[in-house]
Amino acid sequence: RRVDNNQSKSEGGKSGEDNSSQDDTNYISCTVWENFDNFDAWRKGDAFKEAHGGGTVGGVAAMLIATAKNTKGKPKPAYWQGLLPVSTPGNPPSDGEGWRRIEADGKSTLPRDCFVAMNRFAIQPGMHDVFEDRFAARESSLTEYDGFQGFLLLRRDGAKKAGDGGEPDDGVTHSTFSIWKNRDAFEAWKSDSATKEKGSSAKKEGEKGGGKSRPPNLFTRPPIPSFYEGILALESAKGV
């Protein structure tokens, strides 16, 4: 469930800039799998059918009618390859069924389970490896912060097509994906990270001195931050 960006400045963005208006997606579903084959097996199995009307003609029809009433259009799938995972152990359902049972009254929104921060990047052609290498070279201290649950750098998977996450091609090639216990935990990390980065940048500038060329610009446009309250979260024992 999307929330506004006003409380935080996203990494790589400009102060006070809110790029969330570039799309009107207010809900997303997200699943993380060890590999595509596992995802494909789930998509073709009973669990997927259960989640999409039970697999019966009447159930699917009822789901489609409900979707038409509640959404602005068809869902737009997007597939990603997960890189550089950082995770903490998960908390799977204790009943062994792999399901969560939630009481809903049809009036109130569901309670928040976690907070998700994403930053979407449009990388210049031919510069994807450079971008990923820079991310891989960073020293991560995420696990040292209270409330951190998981991180992935996402690389867009497959050829981008109109209707697959944006019409026309939205140009997004990568995204960060971090999960936190709540927004306060994310903001605490963000504030501390910004302070450390500012000090590190000042030190590097002093060491380099004048006359040095800057690294090439990797982006075709500024990164686009988006923040979500995670609801109906379902974890594996391994975490993200």
Side-chain angles (χ1 to χ4, degrees):
R1 179 171 58 213
R2 196 159 189 171
V3 295
D4 66 66
N5 294 6
N6 295 333
Q7 187 175 337
S8 172
K9 183 190 81 170
S10 175
E11 176 183 0
K14 298 179 180 179
S15 180
E17 181 180 26
D18 182 1
N19 290 316
S20 62
S21 61
Q22 294 198 22
D23 68 64
D24 61 354
T25 302
N26 49 15
Y27 281 84
I28 64 171
S29 64
C30 181
T31 56
V32 180
W33 300 85
E34 289 187 345
N35 52 58
F36 179 82
D37 289 341
N38 289 344
F39 164 72
D40 202 41
W42 165 78
R43 184 172 58 173
K44 296 176 181 177
D46 292 339
F48 183 86
K49 294 177 181 177
E50 180 70 24
H52 294 78
T56 66
V57 174
V60 172
M63 181 198 68
L64 292 175
I65 292 172
T67 299
K69 291 180 178 179
N70 297 324
T71 64
K72 299 177 181 179
K74 295 188 299 182
K76 299 174 182 178
Y79 305 101
W80 308 82
Q81 296 174 356
L83 314 173
L84 308 177
V86 182
S87 186
T88 60
N91 184 27
S94 58
D95 61 8
E97 294 184 12
W99 292 93
R100 286 185 58 196
R101 304 185 186 281
I102 304 295
E103 295 293 332
D105 59 14
K107 299 177 182 179
S108 304
T109 56
L110 297 177
R112 180 199 68 234
D113 293 323
C114 61
F115 179 79
V116 177
M118 300 182 69
N119 208 11
R120 292 173 287 168
F121 300 93
I123 304 302
Q124 300 273 9
M127 301 297 288
H128 295 190
D129 289 347
V130 176
F131 174 76
E132 292 177 10
D133 287 346
R134 287 190 185 179
F135 247 98
R138 294 182 174 186
E139 294 183 8
S140 175
S141 58
L142 288 169
T143 56
E144 299 174 9
Y145 289 87
D146 290 339
F148 170 75
Q149 296 181 349
F151 170 87
L152 285 169
L153 175 64
L154 305 178
R155 176 202 294 151
R156 204 66 172 261
D157 181 68
K160 186 72 176 59
K161 300 177 182 179
D164 180 17
E167 293 185 12
D169 187 344
D170 62 8
V172 173
T173 61
H174 295 76
S175 178
T176 55
F177 179 79
S178 63
I179 306 173
W180 301 82
K181 180 179 180 181
N182 51 48
R183 186 161 195 162
D184 287 343
F186 168 76
E187 294 292 345
W189 165 79
K190 193 64 186 176
S191 177
D192 190 49
S193 179
T195 300
K196 291 179 179 178
E197 185 175 349
K198 184 177 180 180
S200 176
S201 297
K203 181 180 179 181
K204 289 179 180 178
E205 286 297 323
E207 292 173 348
K208 289 191 300 183
K212 298 289 185 179
S213 61
R214 292 188 175 185
N217 180 30
L218 300 178
F219 311 111
T220 61
R221 63 169 184 261
I224 304 172
S226 55
F227 303 125
Y228 302 86
E229 290 180 337
I231 55 179
L232 301 176
L234 188 62
E235 303 176 59
S236 71
K238 295 180 180 179
V240 174

